Amino acid sequence: MISTDISKANEILLKNELVAIPTETVYGLAGNAFSDIAIKKIFELKKRPFYNPLIVHLKAASSIFDVASEIPESAFILAEKFWPGPLTMVLNKQDHISDLISAGKKTVAVRVPKHPLTLALLDQLDFPLAAPSANPFGSISPTSAAHVFNYFGEEIEVILDGGECEKGLESTIIGFENTHPILYRHGSISLEEIEKITGKLSIRTNNDSSPNSPGMLSRHYAPMTDTYLTNDVSALLNFFEGKKIGLLLLKKTIQDNQIDCQEILSKSGDYTEAAKNLYAAMHRLDQNKLDVIIAERLPDEGLGKTINDKLERATKKV
Ligand code: TXA
Ligand code: MG
């Protein structure tokens, strides 16, 4: 059921059942982070492999001490700057954090989400919420309560409706190696913005065999429809004659009677607006029974880089 009733959500969580929660990035599938019963249900419902660890959502930065230890100085500085907000940090975990959450690693991923409904819910609870994005493993992340309902229907008793997600892309993930910050996943805070605080970051966003982050798997966030990413949409169109084609474009439509539908991410070419619209546009295209989706590569700067990264993981290479 789609609802805004946080006391009902609270009740369900206390029974170690799951609820979907809005965040500023994407919707999460949430359960009690201190209950293995709840955590197992998250993996089962998402059909997520157990090697992919979960993010723990805290009510406030001060709760970091309940879950993490040996926190590097730069983590406090990043938390001060970006929390509540779309920054996830991978820190050494406390011993009581379940191996299910951390996928057997010695670390735990944490963030304080920035959404009034979810913060109000967290405030009523005496445990943090483990929550991956509320989509079946490998599918496009949901940015509205309706997206979550389309995936799971009544399998989730309460989907808290917090409207459309403000950012529309997952959180940026930073880890630390010998206290040195490393980028694990491009997200809704651009690399440039983080580097203003940390200086030049090492980037480790690709690792298929033992992913530090599933966002690192080379195919992820994928529509069901075959999707291609290209710098030159018009040129690629010629290769799909007679096919039902949908386009995903930054700001301008293309005139060509071969095209069935087109999604424009931001008429003014603004990356923040494009990020917010990206997944909803991908969901819509994917529902149009197309043969192919052709997506336009964005300039590799700011959030353009994050959008390209998500599109690359959603697409076939040309
Ligand atoms: O914006 C977001 O981060 C959303 C909202 C719901 O908060 N959540 C999200 O969760 O995107 P999920 O599960 O789809 O992605 C979590 C990422 C994965 O790439 C996972 O591998 C990484 O966090 N992660 C979690 N624990 C980790 C750890 N201990 N070490 C490295 N990566 C970790
Ligand atoms: Mg996800």
Side-chain angles (χ1 to χ4, degrees):
M1 187 184 28
I2 295 179
S3 153
T4 53
D5 185 352
I6 56 171
S7 40
K8 179 75 186 161
N10 181 328
E11 223 174 83
I12 293 168
L13 290 165
L14 288 174
K15 288 189 291 183
N16 290 327
E17 303 285 345
L18 310 182
V19 298
I21 54 166
T23 82
E24 78 284 30
T25 59
V26 301
Y27 275 69
L29 178 62
N32 179 349
F34 294 160
S35 156
D36 271 2
I37 298 170
I39 298 162
K40 272 192 194 133
K41 287 180 184 164
I42 294 174
F43 280 96
E44 276 161 21
L45 189 57
K46 246 189 96 99
K47 300 201 167 53
R48 179 180 179 114
F50 280 101
Y51 64 73
N52 280 341
L54 305 179
I55 297 174
V56 173
H57 295 69
L58 308 172
K59 70 172 107 183
S62 52
S63 308
I64 199 172
F65 302 106
D66 299 343
V67 291
S69 62
E70 300 161 75
I71 304 164
E73 177 76 28
S74 49
F76 290 113
I77 295 168
L78 286 166
E80 171 67 22
K81 167 81 182 154
F82 292 112
W83 283 356
L87 173 74
T88 294
M89 288 192 285
V90 176
L91 301 168
N92 284 337
K93 70 171 187 170
Q94 295 219 3
D95 289 343
H96 72 94
I97 298 295
S98 164
D99 278 343
L100 283 171
I101 289 205
S102 63
K105 294 175 195 287
K106 289 189 162 41
T107 52
V108 63
V110 290
R111 82 179 190 99
V112 180
K114 189 181 176 188
H115 191 290
L117 207 55
T118 293
L119 285 172
L121 174 64
L122 280 166
D123 214 36
Q124 290 185 1
L125 301 169
D126 56 10
F127 48 82
L129 291 172
S133 52
N135 52 278
F137 181 66
S139 316
I140 308 164
S141 295
T143 54
S144 70
H147 289 158
V148 182
F149 188 83
N150 288 344
Y151 280 136
F152 296 107
E154 298 297 339
E155 280 181 287
I156 303 176
E157 204 179 325
V158 164
I159 298 169
L160 275 183
D161 189 355
E164 215 178 290
C165 298
E166 179 199 334
K167 300 287 183 191
L169 292 175
E170 291 83 351
S171 58
T172 302
I173 303 183
I174 301 286
F176 298 88
E177 283 168 28
N178 299 323
T179 76
H180 184 74
I182 310 231
L183 181 82
Y184 284 160
R185 180 173 77 177
H186 289 285
S188 51
I189 303 173
S190 70
L191 180 63
E192 290 88 335
E193 254 184 285
I194 307 244
E195 285 184 336
K196 273 188 211 155
I197 311 289
T198 57
K200 197 92 191 130
L201 279 179
S202 310
I203 299 182
R204 204 155 314 146
T205 54
N206 256 321
N207 188 343
D208 265 357
S209 54
S210 165
N212 268 327
S213 289
M216 294 170 123
L217 294 173
S218 54
R219 198 163 159 71
H220 202 65
Y221 314 105
M224 305 300 283
T225 316
D226 282 354
T227 302
Y228 294 83
L229 179 62
T230 176
N231 291 318
D232 189 342
V233 175
S234 300
L236 197 59
L237 272 175
N238 300 324
F239 290 86
F240 296 107
E241 239 183 87
K243 300 273 192 206
K244 204 174 166 202
I245 303 170
L247 301 185
L248 185 60
L249 303 165
L250 177 60
K251 55 182 176 184
K252 270 211 239 76
T253 53
I254 291 180
Q255 299 309 322
D256 188 314
N257 49 19
Q258 248 188 296
I259 301 162
D260 195 81
C261 54
Q262 322 197 24
E263 289 282 349
I264 301 298
L265 293 176
S266 165
K267 281 193 180 136
S268 62
D270 175 63
Y271 299 145
T272 306
E273 186 184 16
K276 179 171 181 180
N277 291 330
L278 178 69
Y279 289 150
M282 284 165 72
H283 279 282
R284 280 193 297 273
L285 286 168
D286 210 20
Q287 279 162 5
N288 280 352
K289 302 208 163 52
L290 300 164
D291 297 318
V292 282
I293 297 168
I294 303 176
E296 177 184 17
R297 193 188 301 275
L298 271 54
D300 224 4
E301 60 192 14
L303 285 184
K305 205 189 288 257
T306 302
I307 294 171
N308 286 339
D309 180 79
K310 305 298 170 193
L311 287 173
E312 257 151 32
R313 294 170 205 276
T315 54
K316 302 198 162 194
K317 301 286 177 289
V318 284

